[in-house]
Amino acid sequence: MFIDQLINGIVLGSIYALMAIGYTMVWNVLRFINFAHGEVYMGGAFVSLYLLLLDTPIWLAYLGGVCAGALLGYLMEKMVYMRMRNAPKLNLLIAAIGISIVLQNLAQYIWGATPERLTSPFLSKNIAVGDMLINQHYIFIIILTILVMIVLELFINRTLMGKAVQAASQNIKATQLMGINANKIISITFAIGSAVGALAGILVGPVFLVYPTMGVFAGLKGFTASVMGGMGNIPGAMIAGLLLGVIESFAAGFISSGYRDAVAMVILLFILLVRPQGIFGKIVQQKV
Amino acid sequence: MELIKRSAFRKSVLLLGGIALFLLPLGIVNPYFMYIINLILIYAILALGLDLIVGYTGQVSVGHGAFFGIGAYVAAILAKNLGFSLWLTLPFSIIITAVIGLIIGFIGLKLIEEYLVMATLAFGTIIWLVFLNWTDLTGGPMGIAGISAPPTITLGTLQFPFIQYHDYYPLLLIFVYLGILITRLIIKSGFGRACTAIRDDELAAQAMGIPVFKTKVIMFTISAAFCGAAGALYAHFLHVVSPETFAFGMSVTILTMVMIGGQGSITGAIIGAAILTVSSEALRETPELRMLIYGFLIVIMIMFFPKGIMGLFQISKQRLLKKSIQVEKNVVEKEGLSYEQ
């Protein structure tokens, strides 16, 4: 029971960590919470599902979903957020919520509201560890998450583009003055964050099914994880995501499953009260 | 003198218009239209309440749907279990939401802008999950049905029972007027001015000696109480409450009403409530596209009218002003020329 919950928690946590990356990256460059990020997660899963229905090979279908997610994020930024650069943050927030309503209902219009299961090459197989069986798909999720995190770390720290993203996170105006195309950097940030978010949705598809509102709570929790890790802190978001998944899994298993979604929200409130800079964040003085 | 005359004229027009609005049900036969108008009135109270904290104090909440829900559930539970009528449940709803608003405000308003959004979001979601899961008290996903209508009002020999939608309208209208009156009293008072000072520049307000945190918390409490009142009215008007009404979407709807109408404007809040309610109801004709179009409307309005409908009037006013200045200049220039001649 204990080990089961722990593994479930780590799997859930991987998903939250992947989601948190999208929130954190966008926060870094634009200082705004992209409330439509949960819909990228849903969109990626649906596109994979659709490609599988067309008899696409499974890896291609997964890849197609990730690309669709990246495209969705890119389009959001180009069509809406970019045109609102000078608007107050509150307007951006409402626009993001509007986009999320549109995407949810678009998915429902195209694909219907019945939950469907994505196929996975591993779901039917188990691995025996000692005297217990672990689903191979769970292992797949964990390994892929770790891989994505390593690639992302390398991208951010080792490539020129990654350094430009870092620079944009620190001070977007100065970045522009240095001759970096800030709009391009922001678009790339959206595309990468959304691709990772879509991947999370695709990975969850075989376990928790795919339906138009699947992104709502996944989004809220990914977002909670990004706050826990310290808004804008990518490694922090990853660790916090795992932590949140494990806590939630234990709370749901041992306390009450009806309130499992409330656990994340209580943690969010608690973190905001006690350590608004996040577990791993530094205190930033409010600029006057 | 001219100004006093004009404002007196405006006041009397407003007063007459306000009274004339009571006669509206006489011209409307279709009960469905009456239902929509009543809904607009309830949403108007909500939007007025949220505008107090968002528009006038500059603190964004995406959790006011929860206050609305708490007001509605308190009324429903009291009416159902203890047989209270609207006149008893309403004060209870207001007091309980105000107390919860005070607590949440006390916790959340220490945070800066974006974090306050997150905190209110978390609060709203928790409350919604409580509605959904505390089955013994709230009826779980089924909600509570069979909430009593308000008791018949007797004025001398006249009796006003509450049977049709038409009967609720005057009552709701009175509450909207009360809401407008209270809002006006607040924003014209020193306290209200302190709030707008905080909205415009928190640091400067603090430097002027305004107790920033206390002022914000009080305004948040009042704003929550507005939503509580609207909740009680809603419960007794629809006779049924269910959790999905008060999910995150409700908080967003109220906030969008304020934004689309125009922040910091009483007229704006009411216009916003009317636009969103009517467009959401009108789209019922095409149920499968309804929410899709609704979402598009929100995105487009916020992109192209960032200051809301009232913002448009402000712009045209400024343009008029500029134009009149330009005309004066032109006249002066022309006259100057004629002098030379």
Side-chain angles (χ1 to χ4, degrees):
Chain A
M1 178 69 176
F2 180 83
I3 301 286
D4 271 350
Q5 295 293 358
L6 186 66
I7 291 170
N8 281 339
I10 293 174
V11 170
L12 263 184
S14 307
I15 301 299
Y16 297 160
L18 290 176
M19 286 298 281
I21 289 168
Y23 284 104
T24 279
M25 287 182 76
V26 168
W27 171 274
N28 257 341
V29 287
L30 287 184
R31 292 284 178 280
F32 121 89
I33 308 158
N34 180 14
F35 265 104
H37 191 58
E39 271 51 61
V40 172
Y41 166 92
M42 177 270 299
F46 261 116
V47 170
S48 298
L49 192 71
Y50 183 68
L51 288 176
L52 278 173
L53 284 181
L54 298 179
D55 284 329
T56 321
I58 197 154
W59 298 112
L60 220 58
Y62 280 15
L63 192 68
V66 171
C67 292
L71 186 69
L72 204 56
Y74 176 79
L75 286 180
M76 251 182 228
E77 141 69 12
K78 274 285 169 215
M79 288 168 70
V80 182
Y81 303 142
M82 199 175 94
R83 290 161 201 271
M84 299 179 72
R85 278 291 188 271
N86 298 321
K89 288 286 151 57
L90 179 57
N91 291 34
L92 272 169
L93 185 84
I94 302 268
I97 293 169
I99 293 174
S100 118
I101 296 175
V102 169
L103 291 177
Q104 264 174 39
N105 290 284
L106 193 66
Q108 185 168 340
Y109 184 65
I110 302 174
W111 291 298
T114 14
E116 282 173 80
R117 192 181 289 280
L118 251 177
T119 38
S120 155
F122 308 111
L123 198 61
S124 51
K125 296 177 202 141
N126 290 314
I127 288 177
V129 178
D131 56 347
M132 61 175 299
L133 293 171
I134 302 174
N135 194 312
Q136 272 195 11
H137 187 73
Y138 286 9
I139 308 275
F140 176 59
I141 291 180
I142 294 168
I143 291 175
L144 211 60
T145 304
I146 294 169
L147 261 176
V148 165
M149 287 174 181
I150 292 171
V151 170
L152 214 62
E153 256 321 287
L154 288 177
F155 168 76
I156 298 265
N157 290 323
R158 298 288 161 87
T159 64
L160 210 58
M161 189 78 87
K163 287 198 173 133
V165 172
Q166 275 188 20
S169 320
Q170 280 174 11
N171 190 336
I172 201 146
K173 280 203 180 114
T175 315
Q176 269 173 316
L177 289 175
M178 294 296 123
I180 294 169
N181 184 345
N183 277 331
K184 199 175 135 200
I185 295 298
I186 294 171
S187 296
I188 288 171
T189 313
F190 265 92
I192 294 176
S194 303
V196 176
L199 178 68
I202 295 165
L203 290 176
V204 151
V207 190
F208 293 127
L209 309 184
V210 181
Y211 50 96
T213 50
M214 68 187 278
V216 177
F217 269 107
L220 280 180
K221 283 164 194 170
F223 158 67
T224 304
S226 60
V227 175
M228 267 171 89
M231 222 42 199
N233 182 343
I234 295 177
M238 296 171 183
I239 299 168
L242 282 174
L243 201 63
L244 180 66
V246 174
I247 296 174
E248 192 191 307
S249 178
F250 277 111
F254 293 110
I255 303 169
S256 144
S257 62
Y259 284 104
R260 78 176 296 152
D261 295 325
V263 174
M265 294 299 105
V266 172
I267 293 176
L268 177 58
L269 264 188
F270 182 74
I271 293 278
L272 284 173
L273 282 186
V274 184
R275 262 187 91 81
Q277 72 275 29
I279 301 174
F280 309 105
K282 288 184 210 118
I283 296 175
V284 182
Q285 279 289 319
Q286 206 185 334
K287 280 179 205 150
V288 177
Chain B
M1 197 59 208
E2 182 67 20
L3 214 65
I4 296 170
K5 256 190 201 163
R6 260 179 69 192
S7 90
F9 175 69
R10 245 188 80 177
K11 263 185 195 155
S12 47
V13 165
L14 273 178
L15 197 68
L16 279 177
I19 294 168
L21 271 181
F22 279 104
L23 303 175
L24 190 68
L26 297 178
I28 291 171
V29 187
N30 190 339
Y32 176 60
F33 287 156
M34 212 56 234
Y35 163 81
I36 295 174
I37 292 168
N38 287 347
L39 265 191
I40 293 174
L41 294 178
I42 291 173
Y43 279 123
I45 300 173
L46 284 169
L48 279 173
L50 186 64
D51 202 18
L52 282 176
I53 193 76
V54 175
Y56 291 105
T57 322
Q59 308 299 311
V60 181
S61 162
V62 287
H64 267 53
F67 292 121
F68 182 37
I70 292 169
Y73 267 99
V74 166
I77 290 163
L78 289 178
K80 203 69 182 148
N81 297 349
L82 300 173
F84 283 11
S85 78
L86 173 69
W87 307 119
L88 269 173
T89 58
L90 185 67
F92 270 105
S93 287
I94 293 176
I95 291 167
I96 291 174
T97 42
V99 170
I100 295 174
L102 183 71
I103 297 168
I104 293 299
F106 200 80
I107 295 171
L109 290 164
K110 287 197 174 121
L111 302 163
I112 56 164
E113 194 186 345
E114 288 91 352
Y115 290 92
L116 176 64
V117 172
M118 302 174 197
T120 48
L121 169 70
F123 159 72
T125 313
I126 292 170
I127 295 293
W128 172 63
L129 286 167
V130 170
F131 290 155
L132 205 59
N133 287 305
W134 195 354
T135 315
D136 296 339
L137 194 67
T138 65
M142 300 296 293
I144 299 171
I147 302 157
S148 59
T152 306
I153 296 172
T154 317
L155 287 177
T157 52
L158 283 171
Q159 287 205 326
F160 298 99
F162 291 92
I163 303 160
Q164 294 176 310
Y165 292 135
H166 284 69
D167 308 327
Y168 284 88
Y169 173 77
L171 180 76
L172 293 173
L173 193 62
I174 288 172
F175 276 106
V176 172
Y177 285 163
L178 257 177
I180 294 174
L181 196 71
I182 296 169
T183 309
R184 268 190 77 86
L185 284 178
I186 292 172
I187 56 179
K188 300 283 176 203
S189 70
F191 168 74
R193 303 217 191 273
C195 288
T196 39
I198 292 172
R199 174 193 67 191
D200 294 338
D201 191 333
E202 197 171 320
L203 230 77
Q206 200 161 21
M208 298 300 287
I210 294 170
V212 170
F213 180 63
K214 197 174 129 197
T215 311
K216 282 197 229 172
V217 171
I218 294 173
M219 198 56 144
F220 196 85
T221 310
I222 297 171
S223 154
F226 263 74
C227 292
L233 291 172
Y234 180 86
H236 286 277
F237 165 62
L238 279 187
H239 310 305
V240 57
V241 291
S242 58
E244 75 265 25
T245 318
F246 309 108
F248 180 54
M250 177 55 75
S251 304
V252 173
T253 308
I254 310 170
L255 186 59
T256 316
M257 284 171 181
V258 172
M259 297 290 297
I260 283 181
Q263 297 174 57
S265 153
I266 293 174
T267 327
I270 293 164
I271 291 177
I275 289 180
L276 254 75
T277 315
V278 170
S279 60
S280 145
E281 290 292 327
L283 291 170
R284 269 187 209 280
E285 299 280 318
T286 52
E288 66 278 10
L289 288 175
R290 176 175 170 236
M291 289 309 285
L292 192 62
I293 299 173
Y294 183 70
F296 263 118
L297 274 180
I298 290 177
V299 176
I300 287 168
M301 287 183 113
I302 214 72
M303 274 177 80
F304 296 105
F305 311 113
K307 290 204 167 150
I309 308 264
M310 293 316 281
L312 287 180
F313 288 113
Q314 271 173 15
I315 292 169
S316 54
K317 244 188 204 171
Q318 275 170 2
R319 270 193 200 146
L320 273 181
L321 207 67
K322 264 187 198 161
K323 257 190 196 163
S324 65
I325 291 169
Q326 196 61 46
V327 169
E328 266 173 32
K329 262 188 193 164
N330 289 345
V331 168
V332 170
E333 274 168 16
K334 267 186 193 163
E335 281 175 356
L337 276 178
S338 64
Y339 282 125
E340 273 169 29
Q341 279 171 354

